[in-house]
Amino acid sequence: MTVVTAHRRRRLVPLALATALSLSLAACGGDKDDTAGAPSASTPASSTPPADADSSKTPGAAVKRTSAELTRALLELSELPDGYQLEEDDPAGDAEKPFSSASSKCKTLVRFLNATEAPGAKATTHRSFSAGSEGSFLDFGIDAMGNNDEVAYLQHAYRKAVTSCPKVTMRIGEGSYSMEVEEIAAPQIGTDPFAFQLTVTSGSRRGLEFTAATTGVEDVVVSVTLLAGQDGELEGATEAAVAKAQQVLKKGA
């Protein structure tokens, strides 16, 4: 898949995280690669479930959530290890679409990466943290999908989008960076967990990794995104995020 108020929005790769990645790349020379001519990203994805999902399945009972309710289910600074600080959103950046691809196979993933909220979400929220200029960057998000069937549709769509796309381009000002896309082992918590990784393959920041994990908790999708993390950090963060969501978001509440 922005935030603490109904007017702030999130994306699967949240703006604050994209900004952190941009700063990390730009600080090392602002390289350009051969993808600079890639087309602009298409419009955000619609809420239509993936075509090959089981549309004959009877939807589960609808659950109404509010952004305020979802926000209470997010991890807070006091629940993170020492050294992290809260990152503020930049609403002015909502119009930015840094990701693109020349391949039609990547059309759906590009839409997801640039989207300001999960397709079909009824309410959404997120909170971002950083561990200083040299540390990792964490974003926790929750998207209320209305019922667990919509959660399954979204998880299916994310997985299909990632496995269909070998690489994307991230544009930063006049420069652009090629990023390899691959599915990775997901933390085994929640419903239908899924994770993927973007790795910079060009320029002076070759090897820089961004990872994301999403999983279902009843009628919501919990997402954790991590830039420049350490081994085991995505798993630990996901487990903590899901435990908090399970505790706060009681089914049908």
Side-chain angles (χ1 to χ4, degrees), residues 75-82 129:
L75 289 174
E76 300 181 11
L77 182 60
S78 61
E79 297 171 298
L80 267 62
D82 292 341
F129 305 91

Side-chain angles (χ1 to χ4, degrees), residues 86-160:
L86 181 66
E87 290 290 327
E88 298 296 333
D89 280 341
D90 178 12
D94 278 347
E96 296 180 14
K97 295 181 180 180
F99 293 95
S100 64
S101 175
S103 172
S104 60
K105 294 180 179 179
C106 297
K107 182 179 179 180
T108 301
L109 181 59
V110 165
R111 289 203 307 255
F112 278 137
L113 293 176
N114 286 325
T116 53
E117 60 184 20
K122 309 302 188 293
T124 185
T125 188
H126 91 117
R127 188 173 286 146
S128 301
F129 305 91
S130 69
S133 59
E134 300 300 323
S136 57
F137 190 102
L138 267 171
D139 181 272
F140 300 97
I142 301 178
D143 290 290
M145 304 307 298
N147 59 59
N148 54 4
D149 292 316
E150 293 297 328
V151 169
Y153 289 149
L154 185 60
Q155 290 295 88
H156 172 89
Y158 281 162
R159 177 175 284 106
K160 183 176 180 180

Side-chain angles (χ1 to χ4, degrees), residues 22-33 172-177 203-205:
S22 300
L23 293 174
S24 178
L25 292 169
C28 294
D31 307 275
K32 298 181 182 180
D33 67 11
I172 304 165
E174 296 299 318
S176 58
Y177 299 83
S204 56
R205 295 301 284 170

